[in-house]
Amino acid sequence: MRWLKFTAAGNTSWGLVEGDTVTTVNGDPFGEWSKTSKTHALKDVKIELPLIPRTFYCVGLNYLKHLKEAADKAGTVPNVPDRPEIGYRAQNALIAHDENVVIPASATEKIHYEGELVVVIGKTAKHLTEANAMDCVFGYTIGNDVSERSWQKADRGLWRAKNADTFKPMGPWIETDVDLDRMETAIRVNGKETGRFHTNEMIFGIVPFLVELTKYFTLSPGDVIWMGTDGASPDLKDGDVVEIDITGIGTLRNRFVREKV
């Protein structure tokens, strides 16, 4: 099923996407719901953020090529993690499909994308095991982990480099039925492909992260885990359009515009 949060005729609601049509749903995917008879053409609705997560987890350095490229740029030897490492992102940075990423006026030219698979949690979970970890997964969406690399190097934390307003596009919807092993992630800038990788070829897959997380935290419906990226990004500039396509989910598209002050 493909769950969409959308606005049409001034009303925001959940819907199910079937082809080019959205059927309005009463309720929400994490509780009781029912289809209505009201439908809209997908092209006529405003796609909203699929959800605002209670907790916004993220994974770093989870693809070998991305790790090696980062080490090469720094002139160091790749330090491959020996266990899942988890971080956080900020809700204020979230924007929806087709909304603009605003490059702060004070930012340098080192603005980069990271196309990521996003895991959406559907059930409360604690102390998961390898055998039952995937039982708490509701579905998947797409994220673009935007970074300002100069700030990332200069600051002790990632407070502005990763979490500035609009730096976390997510969407366009939540897909519940995917084949992880057949997934490819492809990224295009202004229509030209700039990266492609097998989505599930992670150093640590979804299950190890769920097991590790739930040793310490309770996962709740609507929490999300961004699973990291592979490859490297070109420097993005004012007017660039980034599209991230993941097999079986769809395409997340956002334009980058520089702030005018």
Side-chain angles (χ1 to χ4, degrees):
M1 302 178 79
R2 186 164 285 181
W3 285 91
L4 176 71
K5 195 75 171 288
F6 71 98
T7 298
N11 296 313
T12 300
S13 61
W14 284 99
L16 291 170
V17 180
E18 298 167 301
D20 295 325
T21 301
V22 183
T23 301
T24 302
V25 167
N26 286 329
D28 68 77
F30 304 107
E32 295 185 0
W33 60 273
S34 60
K35 276 187 174 184
T36 73
S37 59
K38 182 179 286 188
T39 62
H40 302 272
L42 181 59
K43 64 180 179 60
D44 294 335
V45 306
K46 164 68 170 66
I47 295 177
E48 306 290 354
L49 271 168
L51 48 80
I52 303 291
R54 184 191 70 107
T55 309
F56 187 171
Y57 299 101
C58 63
V59 173
L61 303 177
N62 198 29
Y63 288 82
L64 195 56
K65 185 179 177 183
H66 183 66
L67 190 152
K68 287 180 176 178
E69 287 175 344
D72 288 345
K73 287 183 179 180
T76 60
V77 176
N79 183 15
V80 180
D82 59 2
R83 62 186 176 89
E85 290 285 349
I86 290 127
Y88 298 94
R89 297 289 181 262
Q91 291 177 339
N92 67 281
L94 288 166
I95 59 169
H97 172 76
D98 265 342
E99 293 182 344
N100 290 339
V101 176
V102 179
I103 304 169
S106 60
T108 70
E109 75 283 0
K110 294 297 180 183
I111 301 292
H112 292 169
Y113 64 68
E114 293 184 3
E116 306 199 8
L117 177 68
V118 177
V119 179
V120 180
I121 302 301
K123 297 178 181 178
T124 302
K126 185 75 182 288
H127 297 303
L128 293 169
T129 67
E130 288 191 7
N132 67 10
M134 295 299 287
D135 293 348
C136 75
V137 175
F138 175 73
Y140 304 87
T141 187
I142 303 170
N144 185 351
D145 188 1
V146 177
S147 306
E148 209 284 16
R149 299 300 189 190
S150 298
W151 293 347
Q152 189 171 343
K153 290 180 180 179
D155 299 341
R156 292 185 180 183
L158 300 174
W159 65 280
R160 57 174 176 164
K162 292 279 191 179
N163 295 310
D165 288 346
T166 76
F167 269 24
K168 294 294 166 283
M170 185 171 70
W173 42 61
I174 303 169
E175 175 60 58
T176 63
D177 184 17
V178 303
D179 185 339
L180 290 168
D181 290 329
R182 292 178 179 270
M183 280 182 165
E184 277 195 324
T185 301
I187 303 105
R188 296 180 294 275
V189 178
N190 303 326
K192 180 181 179 181
E193 187 171 300
T194 54
R196 179 180 290 268
F197 58 92
H198 292 290
T199 313
N200 206 29
E201 286 188 354
M202 306 170 191
I203 296 173
F204 295 100
I206 295 168
V207 168
F209 275 99
L210 291 172
V211 172
E212 186 70 11
L213 265 172
T214 59
K215 289 178 183 177
Y216 314 101
F217 307 116
T218 300
L219 293 176
S220 297
D223 286 352
V224 297
I225 309 170
W226 291 37
M227 293 304 302
T229 194
D230 207 357
S233 167
D235 294 341
L236 299 172
K237 61 184 185 301
D238 181 50
D240 284 346
V241 176
V242 175
E243 296 173 294
I244 300 168
D245 184 271
I246 299 183
T247 309
I249 302 178
T251 302
L252 172 66
R253 180 179 60 241
N254 300 89
R255 182 180 298 276
F256 285 63
V257 297
R258 185 165 282 274
E259 182 181 30
K260 294 178 175 59
V261 295

